[in-house]
Amino acid sequence: YGHQPFYMIQLKSGLFIGDLVLNSNAQDVVLVKTTGDPMNVYHKMVGGIFDTYFFYPGTADNVLKKYHNLIGKPYLPPLWSLGFHQCRYGWPNLTYVKDVVAKFEASDIPLEVVWADIDYMKDYADFTIDPVRYGGLGEFVKTLHSKFMKWVPIIDAGLKYDKNDKYFKLGEEHGAFIKSANTRKTLIGRVWTGKAGFPDWLAPYAATLWDIGLGDLYEQVQFDGIWIDMNEVSNFCDGECNNAKEKSNLRQSKSIGPDPHDPGEFDYLPYYPGNRDLNHKALSMTGYHKSNNDDEDKVNKEYNLHSLWCVTEAKATNNFFVQRKKRPFVLTRSSFPGSGIFTSKWLGDNYSLW
């Protein structure tokens, strides 16, 4: 889920060197070792610009300190976030959640933080609460607070595609969504709520829209942190939903000179990291972000910026708390070097089989 092109190598002396190949495009990292030769590390990138930083020999701690001096030091999370947490997808209603918490208390099991997956939302839409299944959520969270417990909800990357939806309307009116190279309008993907638009964090209004949405949710339930998910960005369609021009599984070796105005400019690449189409379960690589350039569809392509979406979302989410003079707690699934300035990270879905 993360894009972290940094590695360390231990030398025969026992010291370490570090290397950061800072590039936001899709890439493979290949390790090659032949008999009698040192290990070789190859970065196979599909484009963009890159900066390479070498961190000279030292202890592992010293190399990591130098690395964080470059990319930024991790933010200081609130003390309560280091306590005992309970989180699970599939809690059907608030009564069920109350029962979970009550059983922790009855069994004298420590519990500091209760989390909420998308179950609490109305139609899985961001900034909403289902009034039937989760009616009274705000009062329940006040009860948690009275017991010195916290509550953290999930927020997905895509905003529900609905012309009558407050957040989608505001986003469209102010040009706050990533745009389609095919339609020159909002690029439509699909997430848990169905069709959705995705904030373009290079558009000035996107952070404002995010703050409005989080503020509206906070008025309904006073959350203590935010869990941001699906923010690679992930997409249940391959590229752009319901678009006949969008192709998938295009792992072909044919080389065609790219035309910046051609929606198929990335259909044929000489190399595919992971040996799969870059549009697979992602936004269309031809989608474009806001630019001061008159031909904005030529620059700031999703092809180049895909891996940066998570950092900019984390910054906007972190800023929601900072503006309200609260210590931020943000948890992200996707990451990029420097994202730790704004957010903590978890490693994605896992199975509790043990």
Side-chain angles (χ1 to χ4, degrees), residues 149-337:
M149 290 193 278
K150 308 294 183 181
W151 185 76
V152 178
I154 198 170
I155 296 291
D156 273 346
L159 301 185
K160 184 178 180 64
Y161 174 72
D162 182 344
K163 297 294 185 180
N164 296 315
D165 179 81
K166 171 183 177 179
Y167 310 107
F168 192 83
K169 285 173 64 177
L170 284 172
E172 288 238 299
E173 288 171 6
H174 293 86
F177 293 122
I178 298 172
K179 289 186 171 56
S180 162
N182 297 300
T183 66
R184 302 295 195 270
K185 299 178 181 179
T186 298
L187 190 158
I188 302 301
R190 184 181 298 275
V191 288
W192 294 105
T193 191
K195 289 184 178 180
F198 298 84
D200 171 9
W201 301 109
L202 296 186
Y205 190 76
T208 300
L209 175 62
W210 201 249
D211 191 82
I212 291 171
L214 290 175
D216 288 350
L217 180 61
Y218 192 80
E219 287 185 6
Q220 300 175 77
V221 54
Q222 294 185 0
F223 53 80
D224 300 284
I226 288 292
W227 170 19
I228 46 179
D229 192 20
M230 303 285 286
N231 58 342
E232 289 74 25
V233 172
S234 288
N235 181 13
F236 294 161
C237 299
D238 288 346
E240 188 170 351
C241 296
N242 297 334
N243 177 16
K245 293 183 179 180
E246 198 70 45
K247 304 178 181 68
S248 63
N249 299 318
L250 291 167
R251 300 190 298 271
Q252 303 186 41
S253 60
K254 184 176 180 181
S255 178
I256 295 179
D259 174 359
H261 294 282
D262 176 13
E265 66 174 297
F266 302 122
D267 285 355
Y268 302 98
L269 295 175
Y271 180 78
Y272 284 86
N275 193 34
R276 73 176 191 180
D277 174 22
L278 298 183
N279 286 336
H280 181 65
K281 301 302 181 185
L283 297 184
S284 171
M285 293 295 104
T286 61
Y288 59 94
H289 299 245
K290 182 66 177 177
S291 168
N292 293 326
N293 192 304
D294 290 337
D295 293 325
E296 64 181 4
D297 60 316
K298 288 183 178 180
V299 297
N300 290 345
K301 293 282 193 179
E302 181 68 6
Y303 181 79
N304 296 312
L305 300 179
H306 173 82
S307 296
L308 299 177
W309 200 95
C310 59
V311 186
T312 43
E313 182 201 28
K315 182 178 180 180
T317 307
N318 181 289
N319 195 50
F320 171 84
F321 295 100
V322 171
Q323 288 185 336
R324 289 156 180 81
K325 301 187 184 306
K326 296 179 180 292
R327 185 181 293 279
F329 177 67
V330 183
L331 188 75
T332 182
R333 186 169 80 175
S334 186
S335 64
F336 189 82

Side-chain angles (χ1 to χ4, degrees), residues 36 45 87 101 107 109 123 137 141 175 193 212 217 219 277 296-297 306 336 343 345:
M45 310 166 198
C87 175
V101 175
S107 302
I109 299 175
D123 300 325
L137 179 59
V141 171
T193 191
I212 291 171
L217 180 61
E219 287 185 6
D277 174 22
E296 64 181 4
D297 60 316
H306 173 82
F336 189 82
T343 180
K345 176 179 170 59

Side-chain angles (χ1 to χ4, degrees), residues 94-127:
L94 184 58
T95 301
Y96 189 97
V97 179
K98 290 179 178 179
D99 185 58
V100 169
V101 175
K103 287 178 178 177
F104 268 86
E105 294 174 325
S107 302
D108 200 25
I109 299 175
L111 180 62
E112 272 82 35
V113 190
V114 179
W115 293 63
D117 210 314
I118 58 175
D119 311 289
Y120 79 92
M121 299 176 176
K122 185 179 186 299
D123 300 325
Y124 300 143
D126 280 353
F127 315 128

